[in-house]
């Protein structure tokens, strides 16, 4: 059979490979010209200071749109934003089902309701250990430990080979709320079939030796820190980390303290967890209105804002702007989290504000108060030994994580290690091979309510404005070249001192340019505006050392 007519199993990363966040990958099966596709995850990353006004970034699904008739379904490994955050923005256009566990499905419904999103998707419930079929693919969700409930790896079986797409995972024998990673199922995968296996695997902690600490160890540390505190204890963590919140609540209860929750996302997610029976046996969790009724040494506050979000609870508390909650000198503040790259400055600023108030701040640099939900190198080695992959494709990481993971895989004897990037086409079986940049990919920005490409967004203009300020000049001339109205000015973002004024410089420059330009040349709006533009930029640059953004409007009347 010709190669272009044989059945092949391929993997196309559209996001999350070569970067942290925005995870989205497509698996195709069939001959080259007639493949069927399933998609695993549909996540976002977050805009930083280099993208002013951009809230979310997501993978451009152009490749999937080109093959929309053959796209069968979306499967979600779990409900962290970097894995499911773009579903309601990107998936409705495909009108194909979304498979998710009950917790992830509830999180998706809550996101839709909370954000007032009209579009909806057809969600179908999947459960670990219960295989299901989608076209030529047989799929099975396998429970894994992670920092959010109901995280799963996905086993994909086709006639030519299998894939274990790990999603985010770790080997935690004592997780809180969720079940531990199903080690026995992983071991069975390595022995139960003659079909070769490809491992598409989380690389986040591939640079770290050993094994990740257990969530139970974090709980023990938090219990000690809460029990010994003389006054209030406040804790901020990722709102989605239900296990961590439960550990804090249990620690507070053991210390004879009551728990107050502050933050909409925290209330929303804990409400979902309660509805699904994950909070059985826990004491009452109070709303923030009860905060001032609880004695100072009997209160534990759990609040949002671990990433320095300006409007979140802990940021408002630190600035003294929260309507109900304040912290005082001698209180203890625990950051049971880590700062996602790009958020460090905002988090440090909040910590400094708290320290200036005399509040004791404890971070992961001071005690074991946080651990990520991703595998370190020994955990990766153990997974290799259980599932016995013939192919390894490192994903979920920047270049340094992917390279470290690939090197580890080779050292452990995996026969085929494919170092892929977004847009590559990786043939998994038969004859594993990576084809670089085979598929068009890229990013989409959520700019307010508008979903657009980077080229369509106004980011470049905003960057220019943030660097050079803005000068707008408007005037009207008649047919004789006389200025009959204006000039009027709008000047923003230029420095002003007591001794020298850029505003006066601009006004003088315009006046002098008008005088120096013959009336006949002033009758041509293009010539007149060009002369003013050049004069303003040159004079301001000579004084300030920067070229401002200048717009000149000359109206002929």
């Amino acid at each position: 059979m010709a190669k272009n007519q044989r059945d092949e199993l391929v993997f196309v990363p559209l996001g999350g490979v070569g970067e942290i966040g925005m995870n989205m990958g497509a698996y195709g099966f069939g001959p080259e010209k007639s493949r069927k596709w399933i998609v695993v995850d549909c996540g976002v990353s977050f805009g930083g200071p280099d993208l002013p006004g951009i809230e979310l970034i997501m993978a451009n699904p152009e490749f999937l749109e080109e093959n929309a008739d053959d796209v069968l379904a979306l499967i979600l490994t779990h409900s962290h934003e970097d894995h499911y955050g773009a579903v309601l923005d990107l998936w409705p256009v495909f009108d194909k089902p979304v498979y998710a566990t009950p917790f992830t499905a509830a999180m998706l419904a809550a996101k839709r309701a909370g954000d007032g999103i009209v579009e909806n998707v057809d969600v179908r419930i999947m459960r670990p250990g219960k295989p299901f079929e989608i076209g030529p693919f047989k799929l099975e969700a396998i429970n894994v430990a992670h920092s959010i409930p109901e995280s799963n790896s996905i086993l994909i079986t086709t006639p030519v080979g299998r894939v274990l797409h790990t999603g985010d995972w770790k080997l935690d024998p004592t997780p809180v709320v969720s079940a531990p990673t199903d080690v026995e199922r992983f071991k069975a995968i390595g022995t139960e079939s003659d079909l070769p296996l490809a491992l598409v695997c989380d690389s986040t902690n591939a640079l770290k030796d050993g094994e990740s600490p257990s969530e139970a160890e974090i709980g023990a540390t938090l219990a000690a820190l809460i029990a010994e505190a003389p006054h209030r204890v406040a804790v901020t963590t990722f709102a989605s980390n239900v296990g961590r919140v439960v550990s804090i609540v249990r620690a507070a209860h053991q210390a004879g303290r009551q728990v107050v929750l502050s933050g909409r996302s925290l209330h929303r997610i804990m409400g979902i967890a309660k509805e699904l029976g994950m909070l059985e046996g826990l004491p009452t969790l109070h709303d923030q209105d009860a905060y001032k009724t609880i004695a100072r040494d009997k209160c534990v506050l759990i609040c949002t804002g671990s990433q320095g979000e300006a409007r979140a609870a802990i940021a408002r508390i630190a600035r003294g702007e929260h309507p109900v909650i304040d912290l005082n000198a001698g209180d203890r503040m625990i950051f049971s989290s880590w700062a996602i790259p790009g958020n460090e400055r905002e988090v440090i600023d909040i910590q400094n504000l708290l320290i200036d108030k005399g509040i004791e701040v404890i971070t992961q640099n001071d005690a074991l108060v946080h651990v990520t939900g991703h595998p370190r190198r020994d955990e990766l080695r153990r997974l290799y030994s259980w599932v016995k992959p013939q192919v390894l494709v490192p994903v979920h990481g920047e270049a340094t994580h992917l390279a470290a993971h690939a090197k580890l895989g080779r050292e452990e004897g995996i026969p085929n290690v494919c170092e892929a990037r977004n847009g590559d086409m990786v043939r998994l079986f038969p004859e594993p091979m990576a084809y670089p940049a085979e598929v068009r990919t890229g990013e989409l920005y959520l700019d307010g309510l508008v979903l657009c490409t980077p080229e369509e967004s106004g980011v470049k203009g905003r960057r220019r404005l943030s660097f050079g300020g803005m000068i707008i000049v408007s005037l009207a001339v008649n047919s004789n070249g006389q200025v009959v109205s204006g000039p009027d000015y709008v000047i923003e973002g230029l420095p002003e001192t007591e001794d020298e004024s850029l505003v006066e410089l601009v006004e003088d420059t315009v006046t002098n340019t008008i005088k120096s330009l013959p009336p006949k040349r002033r009758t041509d709006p293009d010539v007149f505006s060009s002369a003013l533009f050049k004069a303003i930029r040159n004079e301001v640059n000579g004084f300030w050392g920067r070229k401002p953004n200048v717009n000149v409007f000359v109206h002929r009347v």
Side-chain angles (χ1 to χ4, degrees):
M1 181 183 295
K3 283 192 174 184
N4 63 355
Q5 295 178 341
R6 69 181 180 181
D7 285 339
E8 296 179 336
L9 176 59
V10 299
F11 170 58
V12 178
L14 300 173
V17 183
E19 63 201 350
I20 298 292
M22 207 172 72
N23 296 284
M24 190 178 197
Y27 290 93
F29 177 77
E32 181 179 348
K33 301 298 183 180
S34 57
R35 291 185 179 124
K36 299 297 182 182
W37 296 90
I38 57 172
V39 181
V40 177
D41 288 336
C42 186
V44 300
S45 58
F46 299 92
D50 60 323
L51 296 174
I54 301 303
E55 299 176 20
L56 300 176
I57 310 168
M58 53 200 77
N60 190 329
E62 181 180 2
F63 168 73
L64 298 176
E65 292 170 350
E66 292 171 353
N67 294 276
D69 291 342
D70 295 315
V71 174
L72 304 179
L74 169 66
I75 298 92
L76 300 177
T77 60
H78 64 289
S79 52
H80 273 149
E81 289 292 332
D82 61 328
H83 288 261
Y84 97 129
V87 172
L88 295 172
D89 292 295
L90 299 183
W91 199 252
V93 69
F94 290 97
D95 195 25
K96 299 293 173 63
V98 177
Y99 290 82
T101 65
F103 183 83
T104 298
M107 288 282 283
L108 197 61
K111 175 189 282 287
R112 179 172 178 261
D115 294 346
I117 297 172
V118 176
E119 298 284 358
N120 202 2
V121 291
D122 173 18
V123 178
R124 301 182 185 181
I125 299 300
M126 66 178 186
R127 300 184 186 278
K130 295 187 176 181
F132 56 100
E133 293 186 1
I134 303 173
F137 304 95
K138 180 180 179 182
L139 298 102
E140 178 187 350
I142 301 169
N143 190 81
V144 293
H146 186 48
S147 51
I148 194 169
E150 296 184 1
S151 295
N152 292 274
S153 296
I154 306 296
L155 178 64
I156 304 168
T157 301
T158 72
V160 300
R162 300 172 297 159
V163 182
L164 180 62
H165 184 106
T166 67
D168 293 357
W169 68 283
K170 63 183 288 188
L171 294 178
D172 187 344
T174 54
V176 179
V177 175
S178 298
T181 295
D182 193 344
V183 171
E184 293 306 312
R185 184 69 189 101
F186 281 160
K187 290 179 178 178
I189 288 171
T191 60
E192 69 184 6
S193 174
D194 293 331
L195 286 171
L197 179 82
L199 180 63
V200 177
C201 187
D202 181 356
S203 306
T204 310
N205 278 343
L207 292 163
K208 296 183 178 180
D209 290 321
E211 296 192 6
S212 297
S214 170
E215 191 63 37
E217 296 177 62
I218 309 300
T221 302
L222 292 170
L225 291 171
I226 290 171
E228 70 185 23
H231 302 299
R232 292 189 193 93
V233 178
V235 188
T236 185
T237 189
F238 295 98
S240 61
N241 195 336
V242 175
R244 185 72 50 80
V245 175
V246 169
S247 292
I248 298 165
V249 174
R250 288 174 178 169
H253 184 63
Q254 292 168 12
R257 294 175 179 247
Q258 297 184 65
V259 175
V260 173
L261 300 183
S262 180
R264 285 182 297 175
S265 60
L266 196 54
H267 279 285
R268 182 176 72 248
I269 293 171
M270 294 306 288
I272 292 170
K274 183 177 182 179
E275 290 177 8
L276 295 175
M278 297 178 180
L279 307 183
E280 297 294 334
L282 286 188
T284 300
L285 305 179
H286 300 283
D287 190 15
Q288 62 186 30
D289 293 336
Y291 181 77
K292 292 189 181 296
T293 68
I294 301 172
R296 188 179 176 194
D297 62 347
K298 297 296 181 184
C299 179
V300 170
L301 169 70
I302 307 176
C303 55
T304 55
S306 67
Q307 297 307 300
E309 302 94 330
R311 292 175 292 178
I314 190 56
R316 299 172 71 194
I317 293 167
R319 296 192 302 264
E321 297 173 357
H322 198 285
V324 177
I325 296 170
D326 55 13
L327 294 174
N328 305 110
D331 290 342
R332 173 172 285 179
M333 177 72 224
I334 302 171
F335 281 76
S336 185
S337 56
W338 69 298
I340 294 172
N343 296 341
E344 297 93 343
R345 184 68 260 166
E346 289 82 359
V347 174
I348 291 171
D349 287 345
I350 290 172
Q351 292 170 353
N352 285 333
L353 287 172
L354 294 168
I355 291 169
D356 281 343
K357 293 175 180 286
I359 297 161
E360 180 189 14
V361 172
I362 296 174
T363 72
Q364 62 178 349
N365 297 324
D366 305 302
L368 186 60
V369 294
H370 180 66
V371 64
T372 66
H374 302 273
R376 295 186 181 181
R377 292 167 71 84
D378 282 354
E379 293 163 274
L380 292 170
R381 290 186 178 99
R382 291 172 68 184
L383 182 64
Y384 302 161
S385 71
W386 295 332
V387 303
K388 301 177 176 57
Q390 285 73 49
V391 179
L392 170 66
V393 184
V395 296
H396 201 293
E398 297 175 352
T400 184
H401 308 104
L402 302 178
H405 193 173
K407 182 179 179 183
L408 180 66
R410 293 188 182 98
E411 290 172 351
E412 296 300 311
I414 297 176
N416 300 282
V417 177
C418 297
E419 296 189 57
R421 294 293 186 272
N422 294 336
D424 292 355
M425 175 85 71
V426 182
R427 185 175 66 217
L428 301 173
F429 302 112
E431 300 173 15
M433 182 174 291
Y435 298 91
E438 186 77 6
V439 167
R440 282 182 291 180
T441 187
E443 297 176 343
L444 294 178
Y445 293 165
L446 186 61
D447 189 348
L449 298 176
V450 177
L451 195 62
C452 55
T453 66
E455 295 75 21
E456 294 167 340
S457 74
V459 167
K460 287 184 178 180
R462 290 172 206 160
R463 288 191 190 127
R464 288 196 301 270
L465 288 171
S466 69
F467 181 80
M470 176 180 66
I471 300 171
I472 298 175
V473 180
S474 177
L475 49 82
V477 295
N478 62 19
S479 58
N480 297 320
Q482 295 175 317
V483 176
V484 295
S485 178
D488 297 316
Y489 302 91
V490 176
I491 299 176
E492 296 284 353
L494 272 65
E496 288 291 315
T497 67
E498 292 182 3
D499 300 327
E500 298 174 294
S501 170
L502 274 175
V503 173
E504 292 179 3
L505 175 65
V506 171
E507 292 174 347
D508 291 344
T509 300
V510 171
T511 299
N512 293 334
T513 303
I514 292 173
K515 290 179 179 178
S516 66
L517 204 64
K520 186 175 182 180
R521 300 196 69 192
R522 294 201 298 262
T523 61
D524 186 328
D526 292 337
V527 171
F528 198 0
S529 62
S530 177
L532 289 170
F533 174 87
K534 292 176 182 177
I536 293 168
R537 286 200 92 191
N538 290 339
E539 289 296 324
V540 173
N541 183 45
F543 178 85
W544 186 24
R546 290 184 179 180
K547 294 180 179 179
N549 298 283
V550 178
N551 284 311
V552 178
F553 299 96
V554 175
H555 310 279
R556 179 77 179 270
V557 294

